[in-house]
Amino acid sequence: MLGVLYWRRPVDYRWARSALGFTTLLALLGFWLYPLAPPRLMPGLGIIDTVHGVQDFSQPDYGTLTALTNQYAAMPSLHFGWSLWCGVVIAVIAPRPWMKALGLLHPLFTVSAIVATGNHWVLDAVGGALVVGAGFALTYLLQGPRARTVTARARAAGRSRSGPGPPPGPAPTWTPRSAGADRGRTGEPGRFRRGSPATGRPPRTGR
């Protein structure tokens, strides 16, 4: 998503990137301060890991990924948080209504998947939505509104300061010259005898 914005919409890239960064930072802070286990580590509640089977709450076994991943990072849900960030960005910058609707369907499908597979509780998704909202809020406070919004406001302010232009004047009129005005003494339009005032030459005098 960020790659597409950097390539196709560089004006919106900085705004979206900052919101995602603040969202992730707040979520990591929550994982560190208050670790919480996902439902898939609680087989006593009837919830089984759909990929790796029954897991022990205190010693989960995910092969080589066990030592590389934090299995107690359920709240807030970044699965839902990142998908909601994508949906919001698409809804804001997409040019067509059906594109905006498809973008907002992404977090809906994601929350259905993470709850059905036992990776998160519904409350974890609520926490993910809160950190996304906080990420966009921090971006607004520290960077101001989106660049496109600022540009639109500046244009509107410029139009209001300049005020309406002067009222248009009457349309110019053209009155054709009469045929007689263009006739010389010869009686033909556009041709003048020598000595005619229209030629600018002095009249000839008789012998």
Side-chain angles (χ1 to χ4, degrees):
M1 186 71 181
L2 283 177
V4 173
L5 289 176
Y6 184 81
W7 177 43
R8 299 296 300 273
R9 302 291 290 269
V11 175
D12 291 312
Y13 168 77
R14 183 169 176 262
W15 163 76
R17 177 209 60 193
S18 299
L20 180 63
F22 286 131
T23 296
T24 306
L25 182 63
L26 292 173
L28 292 176
L29 186 63
F31 300 156
W32 176 60
L33 293 176
Y34 200 70
L36 291 174
R40 56 183 166 77
L41 296 184
M42 303 175 186
L45 299 178
I47 303 174
I48 307 300
D49 192 312
T50 56
V51 177
H52 297 278
V54 179
Q55 293 293 321
D56 184 8
F57 176 80
S58 59
Q59 292 182 342
D61 183 14
Y62 291 95
T64 57
L65 293 178
T66 304
L68 299 177
T69 57
N70 180 10
Q71 299 301 320
Y72 305 99
M75 168 64 89
S77 170
L78 276 183
H79 286 105
F80 179 72
W82 286 340
S83 68
L84 181 60
W85 170 85
C86 288
V88 170
V89 172
I90 293 174
V92 169
I93 69 176
R96 301 181 183 276
W98 64 268
M99 295 179 181
K100 298 178 184 291
L102 286 180
L104 293 176
L105 285 176
H106 178 41
L108 178 62
F109 291 152
T110 300
V111 71
S112 301
I114 61 178
V115 172
T117 56
N119 280 278
H120 289 283
W121 303 102
V122 175
L123 189 60
D124 299 337
V126 174
L130 291 177
V131 294
V132 170
F136 279 106
L138 286 174
T139 301
Y140 182 85
L141 291 175
L142 299 178
Q143 293 185 183
R146 290 173 57 225
R148 292 182 181 272
T149 306
V150 173
T151 303
R153 290 179 179 175
R155 290 177 178 173
R159 288 194 296 267
S160 63
R161 285 195 300 266
S162 60
T173 58
W174 177 77
T175 305
R177 299 174 62 184
S178 62
D182 287 338
R183 294 178 180 271
R185 295 183 181 179
T186 60
E188 299 180 8
R191 296 182 61 185
F192 298 91
R193 294 182 57 185
R194 295 184 63 182
S196 172
T199 63
R201 299 175 181 174
R204 295 181 59 185
T205 59
R207 295 182 180 176

